[in-house]
Amino acid sequence: LKTTNAGDIWEVISYVFMLIDPSSVHFFNNNTGWVSGNYGTVAKTTDGGFNWQTFFIGTDDYLKSMSFYNEMTGWVVGSEGTILKTTNAGIEPLRVDLKFFIEGLYRAGSSQVVQDTVKVFLREGSTPFNKIDSAITVFNVNGNYSLEFFRAQQGGQYYLSIEHKKTLETWSASRLEFNNSLQTIDFTINGAVAYGANQILVGNKYCFYSGDVVSDGIIDGSDLMLVDNDAFESRSGYLQTDVTGDNFTDASDIAIVDNNSLANVIMRRP
């Protein structure tokens, strides 16, 4: 039962609990909440209780009470002295093995990439393509990344978008479907793996475009001006304008940004 007027009126919203005999309930907000019950079963709702997803958490004990510190971390206690804790909201994550290279950081001779930090976003599969979850990872020199997203919904479809501070934001061409299996995406084997085939061939591998140092979704004169100024001053170190990752802003960085600017390279997304 659910009330929205302090108990004056109650509404029957679900019969799923006939299966689990609920004993405890915890809601984070008006929509997202959990209940626990018998046979080691918990259920989660994200729509105020109208629909529930059931999880079995590795025990047959009756789960008597639950409490959450935040949406990811919580505890449940049950019969026979059972105490269980989750740090991922009890949800099996969407696992993604990802591979990509970045134009300026990729070394075709060794087929390796200069290490740096990148952020990968999981986005809704339909407009407005809101960000659902994110993962931050450091480049593996071979371009391989293993990621986990805990906010994906079973059966949901999602795009990936990848952001790096010296690189044009790049989206996956296809949506991932969360079905409890490992998803694998290799951007390096075909330009069309990226939305709008928005990659450049370096040697025999496809790479994300480098040079959007302003991070405005287009590589143009504003990026070139910053790189040119830093190159003129012979600046060195970990710089936004050092698109080749060699700790110097120089002619090699100017060449990449200038070429992509002349080619009118822009971000492409659904």
Side-chain angles (χ1 to χ4, degrees):
L1 301 177
K2 176 181 180 180
T3 181
T4 58
N5 56 10
D8 289 336
I9 299 175
W10 291 85
E11 178 184 6
V12 176
I13 56 175
S14 180
Y15 292 95
V16 67
F17 304 125
M18 294 174 64
L19 303 176
I20 70 171
D21 187 19
S23 60
S24 180
V25 61
H26 186 103
F27 269 75
F28 306 107
N29 51 48
N30 290 338
N31 292 313
T32 303
W34 289 86
V35 297
S36 60
N38 57 4
Y39 303 114
T41 305
V42 297
K44 180 183 181 182
T45 180
T46 57
D47 61 3
F50 290 98
N51 293 282
W52 295 82
Q53 185 176 3
T54 303
F55 301 88
F56 300 95
I57 61 175
T59 178
D60 289 331
D61 295 331
Y62 184 59
L63 303 177
K64 297 181 178 181
S65 182
M66 68 190 324
S67 179
F68 276 77
Y69 172 71
N70 54 39
E71 288 195 32
M72 303 299 287
T73 303
W75 295 260
V76 60
V77 297
S79 60
E80 308 299 326
T82 298
I83 303 176
L84 300 172
K85 178 183 178 181
T86 180
T87 56
N88 61 7
I91 301 171
E92 185 72 15
L94 170 60
R95 292 186 172 90
V96 181
D97 276 354
L98 191 62
K99 182 169 184 174
F100 62 84
F101 291 132
I102 290 176
E103 177 188 7
L105 302 180
Y106 177 59
R107 305 295 185 255
S110 62
S111 293
Q112 293 187 331
V113 67
V114 177
Q115 290 184 284
D116 204 348
T117 302
V118 68
K119 181 172 282 190
V120 182
F121 290 99
L122 190 70
R123 291 178 174 268
E124 292 176 341
S126 57
T127 186
F129 308 106
N130 290 327
K131 294 175 180 177
I132 300 299
D133 205 348
S134 65
I136 298 176
T137 185
V138 176
F139 291 177
N140 177 298
V141 295
N142 297 313
N144 298 312
Y145 317 87
S146 293
L147 307 175
E148 292 184 339
F149 298 101
F150 288 95
R151 299 185 184 277
Q153 297 294 318
Q154 182 71 258
Q157 294 186 334
Y158 306 95
Y159 284 104
L160 288 183
S161 65
I162 299 97
E163 296 183 10
H164 175 255
K165 68 177 186 176
K166 308 172 186 180
T167 305
L168 193 70
E169 180 179 337
T170 305
W171 288 52
S172 61
S174 301
R175 292 174 292 184
L176 302 180
E177 182 171 353
F178 181 33
N179 55 13
N180 285 335
S181 63
L182 177 68
Q183 303 288 327
T184 302
I185 304 180
D186 186 350
F187 284 90
T188 69
I189 59 174
N190 191 324
V193 178
Y195 194 90
N198 208 25
Q199 296 193 90
I200 185 171
L201 188 63
V202 180
N204 61 357
K205 297 294 183 181
Y206 285 92
C207 302
F208 297 166
Y209 283 103
S210 290
D212 184 18
V213 297
V214 178
S215 299
D216 60 356
I218 183 171
I219 302 174
D220 59 12
S222 60
D223 304 291
L224 185 59
M225 181 176 65
L226 291 179
V227 176
D228 191 52
N229 287 343
D230 283 358
F232 180 77
E233 296 176 5
S234 300
R235 295 192 63 190
S236 61
Y238 186 67
L239 303 172
Q240 186 93 357
T241 53
D242 174 27
V243 298
T244 60
D246 61 0
N247 293 320
F248 293 95
T249 301
D250 54 22
S252 61
D253 305 292
I254 293 175
I256 290 175
V257 179
D258 188 40
N259 287 339
N260 289 338
S261 176
L262 290 173
N264 296 315
V265 174
I266 62 173
M267 178 179 65
R268 300 193 182 277
R269 52 167 291 177

